[in-house]
Amino acid sequence: MKKLLLTGIVALCAVWGQAQQGHASAGARLGYAAEWETVTLGVDYCYHFLPDFRLAPSLTCMVRNRGMSAWYMDVDCHYMVAVSELFSFYPIGGLGLSLWRPHVFGTDAAARLGLNIGLGAELRLLPEISAGLDMKYNIIGTYDQALAAFRVAYHF
C-alpha cells in the first residue's frame, strides 16, 4: 500500500510540473549509504518553481545489508548556482521520511521523519541529458545516514 501511495505522489508531481510549464527533469540514481555500507537505488523528479530554485521529491531504496533495508522518501529544495551554461552546483535542504525494515524474526519496522542537508553538482551532457552527484546527510536520530548518489536525468 505504501509503495502504491508513493508511486501515485511521484506521478502527481510529474503531471503537476508539466501542467505548470516549468523546467523539469526525471532521473535515476545509484548511490552508497555510508553508515550501513550498502548500495542505494532511486528515482527522482526535479521541478524549477523559480528560476534558481527547484523542488526535488525522490524515492530511494537502501539495499539490505546487516539485516536491515530502508526506503527513503525525500522532498528537497535545491538552490541552483550556475557556474557556466553546462555546470551548476546546489546546496540541498529538505525533509525526509525513512521506513526501516529489519529482516530479523520478531522485530518491528521503524518509520522516522528527519532533515536532509547536503551539496550537489550537475553537468549538462546534452540539451536533454545531465549527469550529477549528490551528497547529503539525513538527520534522523538513531538512523542518521550519509548518502552519496550519482544521478542521470532527462530534462523536458
Side-chain angles (χ1 to χ4, degrees), residues 4 12 19 87 109 130-131 135 143 145-146 152:
L4 180 62
L12 181 61
F87 181 74
S130 68
M135 294 187 296
Y143 293 92
Q145 186 76 246
V152 176

Side-chain angles (χ1 to χ4, degrees), residues 83-95:
V83 176
S84 71
E85 287 184 22
L86 300 177
F87 181 74
S88 300
F89 72 91
Y90 48 92
I92 300 169
L95 296 173

Side-chain angles (χ1 to χ4, degrees), residues 25 41 53 58 71-72 83 92 95 108-109 111 115 118 125 131 149 152:
S25 66
L41 305 169
F53 288 90
S58 64
W71 285 93
Y72 290 100
V83 176
I92 300 169
L95 296 173
D108 293 328
L115 299 174
L125 303 174
V152 176

Side-chain angles (χ1 to χ4, degrees), residues 4-5 8 14 32 37 50 62 69 84 91 93 105 112 124 156:
L4 180 62
L5 178 62
Y32 182 74
E37 300 174 344
L50 291 173
M62 185 179 81
S69 67
S84 71
F105 183 76
R112 300 284 187 266
R124 264 315 161 106
F156 42 93

Side-chain angles (χ1 to χ4, degrees), residues 48-66:
H48 287 260
F49 62 93
L50 291 173
D52 295 330
F53 288 90
R54 71 181 182 187
L55 192 62
S58 64
L59 174 64
T60 304
C61 173
M62 185 179 81
V63 178
R64 181 171 58 173
N65 189 24
R66 292 192 270 160

